Amino acid sequence: GDSVTQMEGPVTLSEEAFLTINCTYTATGYPSLFWYVQYPGEGLQLLLKATKADDKGSNKGFEATYRKETTSFHLEKGSVQVSDSAVYFCALPTHDYKLSFGAGTTVTVRA
Amino acid sequence: NAGVTQTPKFQVLKTGQSMTLQCAQDMNHEYMSWYRQDPGMGLRLIHYSVGAGITDQGEVPNGYNVSRSTTEDFPLRLLSAAPSQTSVYFCASTRDSLNYGYTFGSGTRLTVV
């Protein structure tokens, strides 16, 4: 079935460092792709999305490009802050009304 | 503020007790879901609904019941709590399950002793 595979981490960075979290997908067709973020003690928030190939989603300085040739949707941020410390999930919707999530990547940013 | 509201935020149950986790959304979303989040297991779908009066099972439905009498509400019932149901439960909703992403509630942390 449709699924995503995500770099697991954990990842520890210093402030202002560059962040990349890899995500690849397996799907029939070209589903929408999502990145969610979960801050400590909170629910998941939609960070960004792309609904078709070559789309770039962006939000809060984060970007991800939907690349069908490499079946990837890697998350990037050029300069992270302590407030970006969270767990990040790649996800795609399936046709049985489910979100297929990656395992999650814990990111810790140190001042 | 519009969104998904879950109550309670924390709950401790004894084995065998029953309870209902409440979920309400005010965005007029047709699609609603319940997930549980466990360390090392990620998020797993328990039950979902595609509209009022329509519910179906997800990946891990055993021990849980749901109903959807209104568009707004989607309660999750634990029939006879077991320690294996200790988890964080999230309710989510969307207007389009394939393209718009889900809005999640803040979660209910349940401990069964």
Side-chain angles (χ1 to χ4, degrees):
Chain A
D2 294 0
S3 64
V4 293
T5 301
Q6 179 181 347
M7 177 181 96
E8 292 197 22
V11 175
T12 302
L13 303 164
S14 297
E15 266 193 319
E16 300 183 2
F18 184 85
L19 171 67
T20 299
I21 304 175
N22 290 340
C23 173
T24 57
Y25 68 90
T26 301
T28 53
Y30 301 104
S32 296
L33 296 170
F34 305 106
W35 276 101
Y36 284 85
V37 59
Q38 185 177 30
Y39 298 105
E42 298 185 12
L44 281 76
Q45 301 176 24
L46 181 63
L47 179 59
L48 55 83
K49 69 176 184 180
T51 57
K52 61 183 186 293
D54 299 324
D55 263 3
K56 178 184 284 187
S58 61
N59 186 25
K60 299 183 180 180
F62 290 89
E63 292 184 342
T65 301
Y66 189 156
R67 300 197 186 281
K68 66 177 182 180
E69 62 276 9
T70 54
T71 62
S72 66
F73 193 54
H74 305 323
L75 183 68
E76 298 180 336
K77 185 172 185 180
S79 177
V80 294
Q81 305 299 313
V82 172
S83 57
D84 294 324
S85 297
V87 182
Y88 294 82
F89 295 91
C90 185
L92 65 77
T94 66
H95 288 278
D96 55 356
Y97 306 102
K98 183 180 76 172
L99 273 174
S100 179
F101 287 96
T105 301
T106 300
V107 174
T108 302
V109 181
R110 295 181 173 170
Chain B
N1 289 340
V4 178
T5 302
Q6 289 184 242
T7 56
K9 292 190 181 302
F10 302 94
Q11 183 71 48
V12 178
L13 288 179
K14 294 183 179 179
T15 297
Q17 286 184 317
S18 62
M19 79 160 293
T20 299
L21 279 62
Q22 301 292 344
C23 175
Q25 53 91 8
D26 57 2
M27 298 172 283
N28 201 33
H29 286 170
E30 290 296 320
Y31 302 92
M32 297 186 74
S33 304
W34 277 102
Y35 287 85
R36 59 178 290 174
Q37 184 177 35
D38 302 291
M41 302 293 290
L43 288 113
R44 293 179 291 170
L45 181 66
I46 305 171
H47 284 284
Y48 65 93
S49 170
V50 300
I54 306 169
T55 64
D56 208 343
Q57 297 180 353
E59 303 169 83
V60 289
N62 292 341
Y64 307 95
N65 273 355
V66 292
S67 60
R68 185 96 180 270
S69 55
T70 66
T71 299
E72 294 77 20
D73 300 302
F74 191 43
L76 178 72
R77 282 182 284 277
L78 280 70
L79 308 173
S80 177
S84 61
Q85 294 178 304
T86 293
S87 187
V88 182
Y89 291 85
F90 290 102
C91 180
S93 74
T94 184
R95 61 172 171 160
D96 178 341
S97 65
L98 294 178
N99 295 305
Y100 279 88
Y102 279 80
T103 300
F104 282 78
S106 58
T108 295
R109 185 174 294 274
L110 175 68
T111 302
V112 182
V113 298

